[in-house]
Amino acid sequence: MADIKALQRDLENKASDLQKLGRESSKNNEVRKKYTIQLGENELVLKELDLLNEDTNVYKLIGPVLVKQDLAEANANVRKRIEYISAELKRLDAIRQDLEEKENSKKEAVIKVQQRIQALQAGKGKA
Amino acid sequence: MAKKGTVTELSSLFPAEEAQKASRRVQDEIAERRRQLDQLQGFLDDNSNLINLVWKLPDETHHNIMVPFGKAAFFPGRMTNPNKFLVLLGESYFAERSAKQTVEILERRSNTLETQIDSLNAIIDDLKLEASFFDNTARESAEGLVEIREDYIEEVPSGTSPNSGKKSDSVPLLEVDNGKAAIEDEEYAHIFSRMTELEKEEEEAEEANGSDQDEQIQNEQDQSVGRDSTDQEVRNIPIVTREAPVISKEGASHGDYHPHSSAVVKKDFKLPQEEKIGSPLPASNTVKKDFELPQDEKIGSPLPARNTVKKDFELPQDEKIGSPLPASNTAFTGSIVEHAHNIGMHAPQQQARGSKPVSRFKMQRK
């Protein structure tokens, strides 16, 4: 009896850990999605900036104000932004993999505990 | 042996409810994609409207418009410079552009939108296929469809070349013809000399060890060896049992006979042999069978089929006829086999003696 209770507590802990991991990974996925969209947008901007003439006026909206910017500067800024986003995406990928591994091992642990509980209960039933 | 295939009810593999669930899931996915598609289509329409507007604006030097002021108010205004646009490029970057340049930008945008719509359409088509597949599965499983699986067994052993395979098929029917056609004089002569040689050996062997026991032992050895043995070995045995002359003729033609079929033949032969001899217990027969079957399977996929066939005596005969082709090599191997179960390296002659006598005896008895 004591064994089974301990095991069940163990199972609950592990299950809640597993849920936490699932929440983390779904958050991770959301962030990833956002970054992927931003990456696409930045690439579009970069394409358009490349097509502009040297002397075109470029503005950046900062808060409520449009601030005039140098085309070269804007270009560099966008490039930097793309680099940053790509790096971020890579980092998120690594994190996601890590999370998946953790999740899998947790799942296995949970299943093991469940099996043990079942085995114990079956043994008790026979006895 | 009788086991030819398995029958599985489709509903046990894919329960109807599960399949329906899967199909519903796919349908949901399709609906989701459709929404995305509609959204994109809306963007595209907006975009083309905008293009038209931007096209027309520079037609006049100024426009009287209502300027939005806050959320709810407008006041009359006048638009000057209708050829000067501030275009949002994204990421809160704006560029000053003329109407024509603006239209170029907008057209590029509508192009990307169109490619997105195309890919979305492709995805939806895929999903539709998937959904119809699941629907079909669900229906079939509900109807109690059954899946029958049977191993595909080729008539001819896989080990041989395609040509040989064809031959073997035809062989049972027209063995003699085939043989003659295929025979090359050289081969023929070779075989004949072999045969005579073997016969001599047999005679010697008979003199040397005529006892049944020896024969039995040899037979058993053969059987055990049989698995490992090549086709040639197998062939030899059958040949001996049968009438020697016929075999030799036919044998010439079938140089390339397959190991598998020959192996099969062997079984049949051996069993009769033992019985004739009388020494082997019934038990031994059964044991042998078991052994051989596994062997066959190991050797090649086709064997299992053979075994079943074997049951009928006729088939085996055909095979024998076809099989016998003791090329010079064969003769050797055959002898080897008999002793062989240890290792094929024994001196050929000794082996030959042992094996030959046995076969001979059988023939005589017959």
PDB file of all heavy atoms in Angstrom, chain B residues 180-208:
ATOM      1  N   LYS B 180      17.795 -31.418 -74.638  1.00  0.00           N
ATOM      2  CA  LYS B 180      18.495 -31.623 -75.899  1.00  0.00           C
ATOM      3  C   LYS B 180      18.886 -30.308 -76.526  1.00  0.00           C
ATOM      4  O   LYS B 180      19.999 -30.125 -76.999  1.00  0.00           O
ATOM      5  CB  LYS B 180      17.601 -32.412 -76.862  1.00  0.00           C
ATOM      6  CG  LYS B 180      17.565 -33.879 -76.486  1.00  0.00           C
ATOM      7  CD  LYS B 180      16.681 -34.638 -77.422  1.00  0.00           C
ATOM      8  CE  LYS B 180      16.622 -36.107 -76.995  1.00  0.00           C
ATOM      9  NZ  LYS B 180      15.677 -36.875 -77.811  1.00  0.00           N
ATOM     10  N   ALA B 181      17.929 -29.434 -76.542  1.00  0.00           N
ATOM     11  CA  ALA B 181      18.189 -28.148 -77.179  1.00  0.00           C
ATOM     12  C   ALA B 181      19.376 -27.477 -76.520  1.00  0.00           C
ATOM     13  O   ALA B 181      20.254 -26.938 -77.185  1.00  0.00           O
ATOM     14  CB  ALA B 181      16.970 -27.259 -77.063  1.00  0.00           C
ATOM     15  N   ALA B 182      19.354 -27.519 -75.236  1.00  0.00           N
ATOM     16  CA  ALA B 182      20.353 -26.769 -74.509  1.00  0.00           C
ATOM     17  C   ALA B 182      21.726 -27.429 -74.513  1.00  0.00           C
ATOM     18  O   ALA B 182      22.743 -26.792 -74.331  1.00  0.00           O
ATOM     19  CB  ALA B 182      19.912 -26.595 -73.065  1.00  0.00           C
ATOM     20  N   ILE B 183      21.697 -28.671 -74.729  1.00  0.00           N
ATOM     21  CA  ILE B 183      22.961 -29.400 -74.586  1.00  0.00           C
ATOM     22  C   ILE B 183      24.016 -28.916 -75.547  1.00  0.00           C
ATOM     23  O   ILE B 183      23.768 -28.727 -76.718  1.00  0.00           O
ATOM     24  CB  ILE B 183      22.772 -30.888 -74.874  1.00  0.00           C
ATOM     25  CG1 ILE B 183      21.847 -31.478 -73.830  1.00  0.00           C
ATOM     26  CG2 ILE B 183      24.100 -31.612 -74.838  1.00  0.00           C
ATOM     27  CD1 ILE B 183      21.475 -32.880 -74.169  1.00  0.00           C
ATOM     28  N   GLU B 184      25.174 -28.792 -75.022  1.00  0.00           N
ATOM     29  CA  GLU B 184      26.300 -28.561 -75.903  1.00  0.00           C
ATOM     30  C   GLU B 184      27.074 -29.867 -75.963  1.00  0.00           C
ATOM     31  O   GLU B 184      27.151 -30.601 -74.978  1.00  0.00           O
ATOM     32  CB  GLU B 184      27.187 -27.465 -75.312  1.00  0.00           C
ATOM     33  CG  GLU B 184      26.468 -26.129 -75.258  1.00  0.00           C
ATOM     34  CD  GLU B 184      27.316 -25.121 -74.542  1.00  0.00           C
ATOM     35  OE1 GLU B 184      28.527 -25.372 -74.419  1.00  0.00           O
ATOM     36  OE2 GLU B 184      26.767 -24.103 -74.116  1.00  0.00           O
ATOM     37  N   ASP B 185      27.596 -30.096 -77.105  1.00  0.00           N
ATOM     38  CA  ASP B 185      28.259 -31.388 -77.273  1.00  0.00           C
ATOM     39  C   ASP B 185      29.342 -31.580 -76.226  1.00  0.00           C
ATOM     40  O   ASP B 185      29.477 -32.631 -75.614  1.00  0.00           O
ATOM     41  CB  ASP B 185      28.892 -31.464 -78.657  1.00  0.00           C
ATOM     42  CG  ASP B 185      27.801 -31.561 -79.695  1.00  0.00           C
ATOM     43  OD1 ASP B 185      26.614 -31.746 -79.279  1.00  0.00           O
ATOM     44  OD2 ASP B 185      28.090 -31.435 -80.876  1.00  0.00           O
ATOM     45  N   GLU B 186      30.083 -30.563 -76.029  1.00  0.00           N
ATOM     46  CA  GLU B 186      31.175 -30.686 -75.078  1.00  0.00           C
ATOM     47  C   GLU B 186      30.647 -31.083 -73.712  1.00  0.00           C
ATOM     48  O   GLU B 186      31.109 -32.028 -73.092  1.00  0.00           O
ATOM     49  CB  GLU B 186      31.889 -29.344 -74.950  1.00  0.00           C
ATOM     50  CG  GLU B 186      33.050 -29.208 -75.909  1.00  0.00           C
ATOM     51  CD  GLU B 186      33.890 -28.025 -75.517  1.00  0.00           C
ATOM     52  OE1 GLU B 186      33.788 -27.606 -74.331  1.00  0.00           O
ATOM     53  OE2 GLU B 186      34.631 -27.539 -76.356  1.00  0.00           O
ATOM     54  N   GLU B 187      29.681 -30.342 -73.330  1.00  0.00           N
ATOM     55  CA  GLU B 187      29.122 -30.600 -72.017  1.00  0.00           C
ATOM     56  C   GLU B 187      28.662 -32.040 -71.940  1.00  0.00           C
ATOM     57  O   GLU B 187      28.900 -32.762 -70.988  1.00  0.00           O
ATOM     58  CB  GLU B 187      27.935 -29.662 -71.794  1.00  0.00           C
ATOM     59  CG  GLU B 187      27.970 -29.024 -70.436  1.00  0.00           C
ATOM     60  CD  GLU B 187      26.764 -28.141 -70.249  1.00  0.00           C
ATOM     61  OE1 GLU B 187      26.739 -27.077 -70.878  1.00  0.00           O
ATOM     62  OE2 GLU B 187      25.858 -28.526 -69.513  1.00  0.00           O
ATOM     63  N   TYR B 188      28.000 -32.428 -72.986  1.00  0.00           N
ATOM     64  CA  TYR B 188      27.424 -33.758 -73.038  1.00  0.00           C
ATOM     65  C   TYR B 188      28.505 -34.811 -72.832  1.00  0.00           C
ATOM     66  O   TYR B 188      28.424 -35.675 -71.956  1.00  0.00           O
ATOM     67  CB  TYR B 188      26.778 -33.948 -74.404  1.00  0.00           C
ATOM     68  CG  TYR B 188      25.748 -35.044 -74.396  1.00  0.00           C
ATOM     69  CD1 TYR B 188      24.403 -34.717 -74.281  1.00  0.00           C
ATOM     70  CD2 TYR B 188      26.113 -36.381 -74.508  1.00  0.00           C
ATOM     71  CE1 TYR B 188      23.450 -35.696 -74.279  1.00  0.00           C
ATOM     72  CE2 TYR B 188      25.163 -37.364 -74.497  1.00  0.00           C
ATOM     73  CZ  TYR B 188      23.830 -37.030 -74.390  1.00  0.00           C
ATOM     74  OH  TYR B 188      22.890 -37.990 -74.384  1.00  0.00           O
ATOM     75  N   ALA B 189      29.521 -34.655 -73.620  1.00  0.00           N
ATOM     76  CA  ALA B 189      30.598 -35.629 -73.530  1.00  0.00           C
ATOM     77  C   ALA B 189      31.163 -35.641 -72.119  1.00  0.00           C
ATOM     78  O   ALA B 189      31.394 -36.685 -71.515  1.00  0.00           O
ATOM     79  CB  ALA B 189      31.697 -35.275 -74.529  1.00  0.00           C
ATOM     80  N   HIS B 190      31.349 -34.478 -71.647  1.00  0.00           N
ATOM     81  CA  HIS B 190      31.929 -34.333 -70.333  1.00  0.00           C
ATOM     82  C   HIS B 190      31.094 -35.105 -69.309  1.00  0.00           C
ATOM     83  O   HIS B 190      31.584 -35.911 -68.539  1.00  0.00           O
ATOM     84  CB  HIS B 190      31.897 -32.846 -69.972  1.00  0.00           C
ATOM     85  CG  HIS B 190      32.942 -32.495 -68.983  1.00  0.00           C
ATOM     86  ND1 HIS B 190      34.037 -31.748 -69.294  1.00  0.00           N
ATOM     87  CD2 HIS B 190      33.052 -32.792 -67.674  1.00  0.00           C
ATOM     88  CE1 HIS B 190      34.779 -31.589 -68.225  1.00  0.00           C
ATOM     89  NE2 HIS B 190      34.202 -32.219 -67.224  1.00  0.00           N
ATOM     90  N   ILE B 191      29.844 -34.845 -69.385  1.00  0.00           N
ATOM     91  CA  ILE B 191      28.948 -35.476 -68.425  1.00  0.00           C
ATOM     92  C   ILE B 191      28.994 -36.987 -68.538  1.00  0.00           C
ATOM     93  O   ILE B 191      29.025 -37.716 -67.544  1.00  0.00           O
ATOM     94  CB  ILE B 191      27.521 -34.993 -68.655  1.00  0.00           C
ATOM     95  CG1 ILE B 191      27.460 -33.509 -68.290  1.00  0.00           C
ATOM     96  CG2 ILE B 191      26.540 -35.794 -67.844  1.00  0.00           C
ATOM     97  CD1 ILE B 191      26.263 -32.836 -68.869  1.00  0.00           C
ATOM     98  N   PHE B 192      28.992 -37.409 -69.780  1.00  0.00           N
ATOM     99  CA  PHE B 192      28.986 -38.854 -69.961  1.00  0.00           C
ATOM    100  C   PHE B 192      30.215 -39.495 -69.334  1.00  0.00           C
ATOM    101  O   PHE B 192      30.145 -40.494 -68.624  1.00  0.00           O
ATOM    102  CB  PHE B 192      28.938 -39.196 -71.449  1.00  0.00           C
ATOM    103  CG  PHE B 192      27.670 -39.921 -71.767  1.00  0.00           C
ATOM    104  CD1 PHE B 192      26.783 -39.407 -72.693  1.00  0.00           C
ATOM    105  CD2 PHE B 192      27.364 -41.110 -71.132  1.00  0.00           C
ATOM    106  CE1 PHE B 192      25.609 -40.064 -72.967  1.00  0.00           C
ATOM    107  CE2 PHE B 192      26.192 -41.760 -71.386  1.00  0.00           C
ATOM    108  CZ  PHE B 192      25.301 -41.242 -72.322  1.00  0.00           C
ATOM    109  N   SER B 193      31.326 -38.872 -69.589  1.00  0.00           N
ATOM    110  CA  SER B 193      32.544 -39.425 -69.003  1.00  0.00           C
ATOM    111  C   SER B 193      32.432 -39.441 -67.491  1.00  0.00           C
ATOM    112  O   SER B 193      32.804 -40.398 -66.819  1.00  0.00           O
ATOM    113  CB  SER B 193      33.759 -38.614 -69.443  1.00  0.00           C
ATOM    114  OG  SER B 193      33.646 -37.301 -68.930  1.00  0.00           O
ATOM    115  N   ARG B 194      31.879 -38.374 -67.010  1.00  0.00           N
ATOM    116  CA  ARG B 194      31.665 -38.303 -65.565  1.00  0.00           C
ATOM    117  C   ARG B 194      30.832 -39.487 -65.089  1.00  0.00           C
ATOM    118  O   ARG B 194      31.147 -40.156 -64.115  1.00  0.00           O
ATOM    119  CB  ARG B 194      30.887 -37.020 -65.220  1.00  0.00           C
ATOM    120  CG  ARG B 194      31.789 -35.890 -64.814  1.00  0.00           C
ATOM    121  CD  ARG B 194      32.350 -36.105 -63.453  1.00  0.00           C
ATOM    122  NE  ARG B 194      33.704 -35.610 -63.417  1.00  0.00           N
ATOM    123  CZ  ARG B 194      34.518 -35.714 -62.381  1.00  0.00           C
ATOM    124  NH1 ARG B 194      34.107 -36.317 -61.289  1.00  0.00           N
ATOM    125  NH2 ARG B 194      35.732 -35.259 -62.424  1.00  0.00           N
ATOM    126  N   MET B 195      29.776 -39.689 -65.799  1.00  0.00           N
ATOM    127  CA  MET B 195      28.851 -40.730 -65.400  1.00  0.00           C
ATOM    128  C   MET B 195      29.562 -42.070 -65.341  1.00  0.00           C
ATOM    129  O   MET B 195      29.428 -42.842 -64.385  1.00  0.00           O
ATOM    130  CB  MET B 195      27.682 -40.804 -66.390  1.00  0.00           C
ATOM    131  CG  MET B 195      26.733 -39.629 -66.280  1.00  0.00           C
ATOM    132  SD  MET B 195      26.062 -39.424 -64.636  1.00  0.00           S
ATOM    133  CE  MET B 195      25.043 -40.877 -64.569  1.00  0.00           C
ATOM    134  N   THR B 196      30.285 -42.327 -66.369  1.00  0.00           N
ATOM    135  CA  THR B 196      30.975 -43.622 -66.377  1.00  0.00           C
ATOM    136  C   THR B 196      31.920 -43.709 -65.195  1.00  0.00           C
ATOM    137  O   THR B 196      31.996 -44.722 -64.499  1.00  0.00           O
ATOM    138  CB  THR B 196      31.764 -43.808 -67.685  1.00  0.00           C
ATOM    139  OG1 THR B 196      32.583 -42.645 -67.854  1.00  0.00           O
ATOM    140  CG2 THR B 196      30.817 -43.957 -68.873  1.00  0.00           C
ATOM    141  N   GLU B 197      32.592 -42.609 -64.975  1.00  0.00           N
ATOM    142  CA  GLU B 197      33.524 -42.594 -63.857  1.00  0.00           C
ATOM    143  C   GLU B 197      32.795 -42.908 -62.560  1.00  0.00           C
ATOM    144  O   GLU B 197      33.199 -43.755 -61.765  1.00  0.00           O
ATOM    145  CB  GLU B 197      34.122 -41.184 -63.744  1.00  0.00           C
ATOM    146  CG  GLU B 197      35.625 -41.178 -63.642  1.00  0.00           C
ATOM    147  CD  GLU B 197      36.100 -39.731 -63.582  1.00  0.00           C
ATOM    148  OE1 GLU B 197      36.276 -39.141 -64.655  1.00  0.00           O
ATOM    149  OE2 GLU B 197      36.278 -39.220 -62.472  1.00  0.00           O
ATOM    150  N   LEU B 198      31.714 -42.235 -62.417  1.00  0.00           N
ATOM    151  CA  LEU B 198      30.934 -42.418 -61.189  1.00  0.00           C
ATOM    152  C   LEU B 198      30.464 -43.857 -61.077  1.00  0.00           C
ATOM    153  O   LEU B 198      30.484 -44.443 -59.987  1.00  0.00           O
ATOM    154  CB  LEU B 198      29.736 -41.469 -61.191  1.00  0.00           C
ATOM    155  CG  LEU B 198      30.114 -40.004 -61.063  1.00  0.00           C
ATOM    156  CD1 LEU B 198      28.867 -39.145 -61.129  1.00  0.00           C
ATOM    157  CD2 LEU B 198      30.845 -39.781 -59.759  1.00  0.00           C
ATOM    158  N   GLU B 199      30.024 -44.379 -62.157  1.00  0.00           N
ATOM    159  CA  GLU B 199      29.523 -45.746 -62.117  1.00  0.00           C
ATOM    160  C   GLU B 199      30.617 -46.689 -61.629  1.00  0.00           C
ATOM    161  O   GLU B 199      30.391 -47.555 -60.788  1.00  0.00           O
ATOM    162  CB  GLU B 199      29.041 -46.177 -63.497  1.00  0.00           C
ATOM    163  CG  GLU B 199      27.620 -45.687 -63.762  1.00  0.00           C
ATOM    164  CD  GLU B 199      27.168 -46.019 -65.158  1.00  0.00           C
ATOM    165  OE1 GLU B 199      27.989 -46.548 -65.942  1.00  0.00           O
ATOM    166  OE2 GLU B 199      26.011 -45.739 -65.456  1.00  0.00           O
ATOM    167  N   LYS B 200      31.784 -46.467 -62.154  1.00  0.00           N
ATOM    168  CA  LYS B 200      32.900 -47.301 -61.698  1.00  0.00           C
ATOM    169  C   LYS B 200      33.047 -47.186 -60.189  1.00  0.00           C
ATOM    170  O   LYS B 200      33.135 -48.161 -59.452  1.00  0.00           O
ATOM    171  CB  LYS B 200      34.200 -46.809 -62.347  1.00  0.00           C
ATOM    172  CG  LYS B 200      34.559 -47.551 -63.617  1.00  0.00           C
ATOM    173  CD  LYS B 200      35.959 -47.135 -64.043  1.00  0.00           C
ATOM    174  CE  LYS B 200      36.109 -47.305 -65.545  1.00  0.00           C
ATOM    175  NZ  LYS B 200      37.322 -46.611 -66.043  1.00  0.00           N
ATOM    176  N   GLU B 201      33.050 -45.981 -59.788  1.00  0.00           N
ATOM    177  CA  GLU B 201      33.221 -45.747 -58.363  1.00  0.00           C
ATOM    178  C   GLU B 201      32.131 -46.444 -57.569  1.00  0.00           C
ATOM    179  O   GLU B 201      32.389 -47.043 -56.514  1.00  0.00           O
ATOM    180  CB  GLU B 201      33.187 -44.249 -58.070  1.00  0.00           C
ATOM    181  CG  GLU B 201      34.449 -43.556 -58.484  1.00  0.00           C
ATOM    182  CD  GLU B 201      34.361 -42.071 -58.224  1.00  0.00           C
ATOM    183  OE1 GLU B 201      33.302 -41.626 -57.743  1.00  0.00           O
ATOM    184  OE2 GLU B 201      35.342 -41.390 -58.495  1.00  0.00           O
ATOM    185  N   GLU B 202      30.972 -46.359 -58.095  1.00  0.00           N
ATOM    186  CA  GLU B 202      29.858 -46.982 -57.390  1.00  0.00           C
ATOM    187  C   GLU B 202      30.095 -48.482 -57.238  1.00  0.00           C
ATOM    188  O   GLU B 202      29.908 -49.064 -56.169  1.00  0.00           O
ATOM    189  CB  GLU B 202      28.558 -46.756 -58.148  1.00  0.00           C
ATOM    190  CG  GLU B 202      28.015 -45.356 -57.932  1.00  0.00           C
ATOM    191  CD  GLU B 202      26.693 -45.194 -58.640  1.00  0.00           C
ATOM    192  OE1 GLU B 202      26.154 -46.218 -59.124  1.00  0.00           O
ATOM    193  OE2 GLU B 202      26.214 -44.060 -58.718  1.00  0.00           O
ATOM    194  N   GLU B 203      30.466 -49.050 -58.306  1.00  0.00           N
ATOM    195  CA  GLU B 203      30.706 -50.488 -58.261  1.00  0.00           C
ATOM    196  C   GLU B 203      31.734 -50.811 -57.193  1.00  0.00           C
ATOM    197  O   GLU B 203      31.565 -51.711 -56.371  1.00  0.00           O
ATOM    198  CB  GLU B 203      31.177 -50.976 -59.620  1.00  0.00           C
ATOM    199  CG  GLU B 203      30.028 -51.040 -60.613  1.00  0.00           C
ATOM    200  CD  GLU B 203      30.540 -51.383 -61.994  1.00  0.00           C
ATOM    201  OE1 GLU B 203      31.750 -51.613 -62.137  1.00  0.00           O
ATOM    202  OE2 GLU B 203      29.709 -51.408 -62.911  1.00  0.00           O
ATOM    203  N   GLU B 204      32.782 -50.083 -57.227  1.00  0.00           N
ATOM    204  CA  GLU B 204      33.809 -50.292 -56.221  1.00  0.00           C
ATOM    205  C   GLU B 204      33.230 -50.163 -54.827  1.00  0.00           C
ATOM    206  O   GLU B 204      33.479 -50.978 -53.949  1.00  0.00           O
ATOM    207  CB  GLU B 204      34.931 -49.255 -56.396  1.00  0.00           C
ATOM    208  CG  GLU B 204      35.788 -49.512 -57.622  1.00  0.00           C
ATOM    209  CD  GLU B 204      36.819 -48.429 -57.762  1.00  0.00           C
ATOM    210  OE1 GLU B 204      36.970 -47.640 -56.799  1.00  0.00           O
ATOM    211  OE2 GLU B 204      37.464 -48.366 -58.796  1.00  0.00           O
ATOM    212  N   ALA B 205      32.490 -49.122 -54.709  1.00  0.00           N
ATOM    213  CA  ALA B 205      31.916 -48.850 -53.403  1.00  0.00           C
ATOM    214  C   ALA B 205      31.028 -50.006 -52.958  1.00  0.00           C
ATOM    215  O   ALA B 205      31.047 -50.415 -51.795  1.00  0.00           O
ATOM    216  CB  ALA B 205      31.104 -47.565 -53.456  1.00  0.00           C
ATOM    217  N   GLU B 206      30.260 -50.506 -53.894  1.00  0.00           N
ATOM    218  CA  GLU B 206      29.362 -51.603 -53.542  1.00  0.00           C
ATOM    219  C   GLU B 206      30.162 -52.759 -52.969  1.00  0.00           C
ATOM    220  O   GLU B 206      29.833 -53.323 -51.925  1.00  0.00           O
ATOM    221  CB  GLU B 206      28.616 -52.074 -54.779  1.00  0.00           C
ATOM    222  CG  GLU B 206      27.464 -51.150 -55.138  1.00  0.00           C
ATOM    223  CD  GLU B 206      26.712 -51.716 -56.316  1.00  0.00           C
ATOM    224  OE1 GLU B 206      26.522 -52.946 -56.364  1.00  0.00           O
ATOM    225  OE2 GLU B 206      26.346 -50.927 -57.189  1.00  0.00           O
ATOM    226  N   GLU B 207      31.185 -53.054 -53.663  1.00  0.00           N
ATOM    227  CA  GLU B 207      32.021 -54.148 -53.189  1.00  0.00           C
ATOM    228  C   GLU B 207      32.549 -53.845 -51.790  1.00  0.00           C
ATOM    229  O   GLU B 207      32.536 -54.672 -50.896  1.00  0.00           O
ATOM    230  CB  GLU B 207      33.192 -54.347 -54.144  1.00  0.00           C
ATOM    231  CG  GLU B 207      32.736 -54.912 -55.479  1.00  0.00           C
ATOM    232  CD  GLU B 207      33.898 -54.953 -56.431  1.00  0.00           C
ATOM    233  OE1 GLU B 207      35.030 -54.642 -55.991  1.00  0.00           O
ATOM    234  OE2 GLU B 207      33.681 -55.295 -57.595  1.00  0.00           O
ATOM    235  N   ALA B 208      33.056 -52.672 -51.678  1.00  0.00           N
ATOM    236  CA  ALA B 208      33.688 -52.299 -50.416  1.00  0.00           C
ATOM    237  C   ALA B 208      32.689 -52.332 -49.262  1.00  0.00           C
ATOM    238  O   ALA B 208      32.881 -53.027 -48.280  1.00  0.00           O
ATOM    239  CB  ALA B 208      34.291 -50.889 -50.531  1.00  0.00           C
TER     240      ALA B 208
END
